[in-house]
């Protein structure tokens, strides 16, 4: 009679150290094991009697998915052989040691195994005797990608990069403007207990077949889709209209853990996110699964709605800049910043040279193969203008390298293109520098613009633009048009560096007639509050003027915007766009320039009221002053730190109230350098943030 299995031991912690998975909370209670493909793991079996290798047969069966089959790589049956070397590139099993009725077995996971939850069953039989005993192991077996394995497509060779892009659970997402980038700490929390089960639930919703979960290219494409709720009831619902009463404001999130907890508990998409939230949770998903990943911010990011490689802007007969084409032919926009992700992998599906960083984007903007997703687009193909290579490379290329086409309305209502402004977008592309610590201001910002685009007007840039246009018929038509006009008046809009909420600011421009003849010039200066997507929320001020400039004459013009004209009309990001439009009669020269700037908000003070120590309760006090003469409603404090991930509802804040204070207690779980990030949000005033770093004693 065949021997039977009494018990099994999968050595979750010992294997986890070898598999770089020891930081996952799921393995702490012993109910789950987490392995990486492309390397072996050990497990022990205790039988009901001593094992006799001349008579007893042991087979390990591993299955995943609804209909496991060896042909699709979702099932493997391994007869355990005597001590020999394991074969590294396929499923294999060997006896490692024998002690009476206990054996230790080593199982090799191939580097192409689907990334999924697997079941393990032990079959035992006796040579020459009919019948098989089965023992199902009751632990969930997670198999992840393995960037440490040279044979895995996601292999990354640099230990520092692996520490940052796979193991670091803390980082930054960048916002602000290209002149004033702002990095906000984000706790990715990929090792939290709720994350992996939530990801598996999302993958099941995405309908990606289990055999395709072996391929990081298909997985990255699927992750881009399941991050947003469109099409597949995914993780986060996007909202941009500023009304978030039935959910959590995108500005209140400062980490992924509360999002995953809410999704896991409700099984519903979490309300609400915007691009930095989608990017933050994608980092969590990818790093949890073992795909190296980073958050990327592109300042002045094009959203090309008609795949023309250009961003089209329209100026009406009154000199007003319109948000979109009046006939809705195109609705192009230029986002102040847009946040997406780079994932690292080889691309065996493409010609050599396109491996490395690939762009994916979870923010629903345009459909790709009838679903809201984007990528993976090889960053190298984007840089070269090879928009026919990979997935959605045209869209990413346009985001970073589009030209601006300006169309003007004539007196009789016709629109014609009057100007092309080259290289209008992609002013700065950044990510967090490698390093475990989150540093103040821009000390930990890495400029990666040059991996996405060549220096403007360089031979490489000209070639890339030429290649891209050649692949896109609509772009060929646009670039065939001629920009023929005399431009002999020079204009310059003065930048606004920084203003604090409650101050006036000045819109100023200068002009210089370089011709030998007088020129009549019409000027429109305006200011609007905008969303970071570039959409106008409120028009704040408009001022127009006419001048006759003598030959070689210089002239300045300006207007002021008072606090009363903007204070109660701000967007959530406190972004203001000033615009100057100039029209020269006779030559029909048209000039237009924007400048976006952030209105500085009050500082949130964070004080720790005692020394931080592991497992010892301590208090943190947060305070700020309300600069607005209105009541703040729907108030929340969001806190991310050691042993704390919370969004707390707070009372209404009175107009101009000083020293608004809230105290929270928390208990650190780990010692060493730890950061606490706090964010205050309300319907009227959002994104009041601060991060402090403190040492937690053992």
């Amino acid at each position: 009679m065949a021997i039977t299995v009494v018990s099994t031991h999968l050595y979750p912690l010992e294997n986890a150290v070898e598999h770089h998975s020891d930081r996952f909370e799921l393995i702490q209670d012993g109910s789950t094991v987490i392995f990486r493909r492309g390397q072996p793991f050990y497990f022990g079996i205790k039988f009901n009697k001593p094992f006799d290798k001349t008579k007893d047969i042991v087979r390990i069966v591993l299955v995943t998915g609804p209909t496991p089959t060896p042909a699709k790589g979702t099932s493997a049956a391994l007869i355990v052989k005597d001590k020999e070397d394991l074969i590294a590139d396929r499923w294999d099993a060997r006896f490692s040691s024998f002690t009476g009725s206990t054996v230790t077995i080593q199982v090799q996971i191939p580097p192409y195994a689907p990334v999924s939850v697997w079941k393990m069953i032990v079959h035992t039989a006796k040579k020459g005797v009919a019948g098989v005993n089965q023992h199902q192991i009751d632990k969930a077996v997670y198999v992840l990608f393995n960037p440490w394995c040279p044979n895995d497509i996601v292999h990354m060779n640099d230990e520092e990069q692996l520490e940052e892009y796979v193991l670091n659970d803390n980082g930054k997402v960048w916002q602000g403007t290209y002149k004033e980038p702002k990095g906000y700490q984000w706790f990715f929390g990929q090792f939290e207990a709720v994350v992996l089960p939530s990801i598996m639930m999302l993958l099941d919703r995405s309908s990606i077949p289990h055999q395709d979960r072996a391929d990081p290219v298909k997985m990255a494409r699927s992750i881009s889709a399941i991050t947003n709720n469109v099409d597949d009831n995914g993780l986060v619902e996007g909202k941009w209209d500023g009304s978030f009463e039935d959910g959590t404001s995108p500005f209140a999130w400062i980490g992924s853990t509360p999002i995953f907890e809410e999704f896991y508990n409700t099984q519903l998409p979490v309300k609400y996110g915007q691009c930095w939230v989608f990017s933050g949770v994608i980092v969590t998903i990818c790093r949890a699964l073992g795909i190296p990943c980073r958050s990327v911010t592109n300042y002045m990011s094009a959203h090309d709605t008609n795949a023309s490689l250009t961003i089209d802007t329209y100026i009406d007969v009154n000199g007003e800049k319109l948000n979109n084409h009046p006939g809705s032919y195109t609705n192009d926009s230029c986002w102040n910043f847009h946040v997406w992700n780079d994932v690292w992998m080889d691309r065996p599906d493409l010609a050599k040279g396109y491996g490395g960083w690939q762009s994916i984007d979870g923010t629903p903007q345009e459909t790709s193969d009838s679903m809201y997703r984007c990528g993976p687009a090889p960053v190298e193909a984007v840089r070269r203008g090879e928009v026919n290579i990979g997935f959605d490379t045209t869209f990413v290329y346009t985001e970073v390298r589009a030209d601006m086409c300006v169309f003007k309305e004539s007196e009789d209502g016709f629109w014609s293109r009057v100007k092309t402004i080259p290289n209008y977008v992609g002013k700065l592309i950044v990510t967090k520098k490698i390093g475990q610590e989150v540093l103040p201001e821009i000390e930990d910002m890495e400029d990666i613009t040059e991996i996405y685009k060549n220096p403007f007007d360089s031979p490489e840039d000209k070639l890339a633009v030429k290649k891209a246009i050649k692949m896109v018929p609509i772009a060929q038509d646009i670039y065939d048009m001629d920009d023929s006009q005399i431009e002999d008046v020079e204009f310059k809009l003065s930048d606004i560096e920084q203003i604090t909420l409650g101050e006036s600011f000045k819109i100023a421009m200068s002009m210089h007639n370089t011709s030998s003849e007088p020129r009549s010039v019409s000027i429109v200066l305006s200011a609007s509050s905008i969303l970071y997507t570039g959409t106008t929320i409120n028009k704040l001020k408009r001022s127009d003027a006419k001048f006759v400039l003598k030959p070689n004459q210089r002239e300045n013009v300006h207007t002021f915007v008072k606090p009363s004209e903007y204070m109660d009309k701000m967007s959530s990001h406190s972004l203001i766009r000033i615009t100057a439009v100039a029209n020269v009669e006779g030559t029909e020269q048209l000039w237009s320039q924007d400048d976006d700037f952030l209105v500085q908000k009050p500082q949130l003070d964070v004080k720790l009221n005692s020394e931080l120590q592991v497992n010892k309760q301590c208090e943190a006090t947060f305070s700020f002053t309300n600069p607005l003469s209105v009541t703040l409603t729907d108030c929340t404090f969001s806190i991310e730190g050691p042993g704390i991930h919370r969004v707390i509802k707070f009372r209404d804040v009175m107009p101009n109230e000083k020293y608004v204070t809230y105290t929270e207690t928390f208990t650190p779980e780990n010692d060493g350098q730890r950061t606490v990030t706090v964010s205050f949000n309300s319907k009227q005033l959002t994104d009041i943030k601060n991060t402090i770093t403190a040492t937690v004693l053992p």
Side-chain angles (χ1 to χ4, degrees), residues 290-461:
I291 302 172
C293 180
R294 63 189 184 184
S295 176
V296 171
T297 298
N298 177 36
Y299 289 100
M300 292 297 279
S301 187
H303 179 181
D304 176 18
T305 54
N306 62 336
S308 64
L309 303 186
T310 62
I311 295 302
D312 305 329
T313 190
Y314 298 88
I315 294 171
D316 71 11
V317 71
N318 302 315
E320 286 275 2
K321 210 169 189 180
L322 306 180
N323 258 346
N324 51 45
H325 186 273
S328 297
Y329 160 67
T330 176
N331 191 15
D332 291 350
S333 58
C334 197
W335 295 31
N336 208 277
F337 65 86
H338 181 44
V339 194
W340 63 71
N341 299 82
D342 282 345
V343 288
W344 179 272
M345 62 186 69
D346 201 7
R347 289 299 298 268
D349 57 320
L350 302 176
K352 262 203 172 315
Y354 298 103
W357 290 117
Q358 316 284 317
S359 291
I360 66 170
D361 192 347
T363 303
Q365 292 185 88
E366 298 292 321
T367 56
S368 171
D369 295 335
S370 75
M371 285 181 80
Y372 280 96
R373 57 187 168 186
C374 181
V379 173
E380 181 58 15
V382 172
R383 190 182 66 80
R384 294 182 193 173
E386 290 168 344
V387 297
N388 60 326
I389 286 178
F391 294 101
D392 309 307
T393 311
T394 305
F395 189 79
V396 180
Y397 169 87
T398 308
E399 285 181 305
V400 301
R401 183 54 188 89
D403 293 344
M404 170 75 84
C405 288
V406 182
F407 292 82
K408 174 97 171 58
E409 185 184 24
S410 64
E411 293 287 345
D412 50 7
F414 285 100
W415 293 89
S416 56
R417 193 181 72 160
V418 292
K419 194 179 185 69
T420 300
I421 307 167
N423 195 34
Y424 187 79
V425 298
K427 301 286 190 199
L428 175 67
I429 306 169
V430 303
T431 189
K432 177 187 169 290
K433 262 185 200 157
I434 289 177
Q436 291 296 296
E437 213 181 328
V438 172
L439 300 172
E441 302 297 331
I442 59 169
E443 288 174 41
D444 54 2
M445 184 180 87
E446 184 184 352
D447 181 348
I448 55 169
T449 312
E450 64 180 25
I451 79 157
Y452 269 91
K453 56 196 286 193
N454 300 295
F456 174 59
D457 227 19
S458 64
E460 296 86 350
D461 178 56

Side-chain angles (χ1 to χ4, degrees), residues 668-679:
E669 294 167 352
N670 299 296
D671 61 356
Q673 286 278 94
R674 291 288 178 265
T675 49
V676 177
T677 296
V678 186
S679 170

Side-chain angles (χ1 to χ4, degrees), residues 501 600-604 624-627 685 688-689:
L501 199 62
Q600 300 299 312
K601 296 175 182 175
Q603 179 73 36
L604 181 70
F624 71 99
T625 295
N626 177 14
L685 185 66
I688 311 290
K689 279 193 176 95

Side-chain angles (χ1 to χ4, degrees), residues 176-177 180 182 498-499 573-576 596-600:
T177 67
E180 200 180 342
K182 286 214 176 301
Q498 202 176 74
I499 71 152
H573 273 104
S574 295
L575 278 166
I576 289 179
D596 299 346
F597 64 92
L598 279 168
V599 178
Q600 300 299 312

Side-chain angles (χ1 to χ4, degrees), residues 200-213:
M200 295 305 157
M201 198 189 298
L202 287 163
L203 289 170
D204 289 343
R205 285 189 186 184
S206 78
S207 307
I208 180 172
H210 278 69
Q211 68 264 27
D212 287 350
R213 300 182 194 191

Side-chain angles (χ1 to χ4, degrees), residues 499-503 563-564 566-568 570 574 599-604 623-632 653-660 680 682 684-688:
I499 71 152
T500 303
L501 199 62
E503 289 180 344
S564 57
Y566 74 83
M567 285 279 278
D568 58 347
M570 299 291 289
S574 295
V599 178
Q600 300 299 312
K601 296 175 182 175
Q603 179 73 36
L604 181 70
S623 58
F624 71 99
T625 295
N626 177 14
L628 303 182
S629 53
V630 296
T631 302
L632 308 184
V653 173
M654 294 299 101
N656 300 116
E657 184 178 338
K658 292 187 174 172
Y659 311 118
V660 180
F680 172 83
S682 68
Q684 297 75 14
L685 185 66
T686 62
D687 228 18
I688 311 290

